[in-house]
Amino acid sequence: QVQLVESGGGLVQAGGSLRLSCAASGRTFSWYAMGWFRQAPGKEREFVARISYSGDSKYYADSVKGRFTIFRDNAKNTGYLQMNSLKPEDTAVYYCAADPDVRLLRPGSWGRGTQVTVSS
């Protein structure tokens, strides 16, 4: 499996922006689809966005569509999540995930997460 490390989380005011990064190592990154999930306190982990191997196909949860953008740089073995117009309900631990299956139904690789807190 590929190893994943997230970074870029933090505290931001509502309406602000953050960019999360997911650094991959251990395997050829371009062989893996990747995505972002999040888990808020007291809630189950939920899907946020996913991107195909080369980046030409992207899919978003309705709750973030139009505000978040997922992209990747395979030359840098890094994936990203640009988050704009943040809302307090976006507060969660954000996890990067990767898998050879582009659907990311059950990702085999997970990062440890990065906290995003949006204040009102």
Side-chain angles (χ1 to χ4, degrees):
Q1 300 293 345
V2 64
Q3 286 76 52
L4 305 171
V5 178
E6 303 95 336
S7 61
L11 173 64
V12 63
Q13 289 187 331
S17 299
L18 281 175
R19 177 178 291 184
L20 305 184
S21 298
C22 174
S25 63
R27 290 287 188 271
T28 302
F29 185 51
S30 60
W31 293 355
Y32 291 79
M34 66 151 296
W36 292 90
F37 296 74
R38 67 186 182 186
Q39 187 167 19
K43 296 187 177 181
E44 294 187 353
R45 188 177 298 185
E46 65 175 2
F47 166 79
V48 175
R50 69 170 189 255
I51 187 169
S52 60
Y53 315 107
S54 63
D56 59 347
S57 177
K58 305 175 184 181
Y59 187 78
Y60 299 91
D62 288 343
S63 58
V64 307
K65 202 172 294 183
R67 300 187 298 122
F68 290 11
T69 301
I70 188 171
F71 58 104
R72 65 191 293 166
D73 185 340
N74 287 340
K76 294 183 178 180
N77 292 330
T78 304
Y80 303 91
L81 184 69
Q82 177 67 41
M83 306 186 293
N84 299 330
S85 302
L86 282 161
K87 305 174 181 180
E89 51 263 45
D90 294 318
T91 295
V93 177
Y94 283 71
Y95 297 90
C96 174
D99 196 85
D101 184 347
V102 70
R103 298 169 298 174
L104 283 182
L105 296 177
R106 291 185 177 183
S109 299
W110 291 89
R112 293 190 174 185
T114 185
Q115 176 71 46
V116 172
T117 303
V118 184
S119 63
S120 58

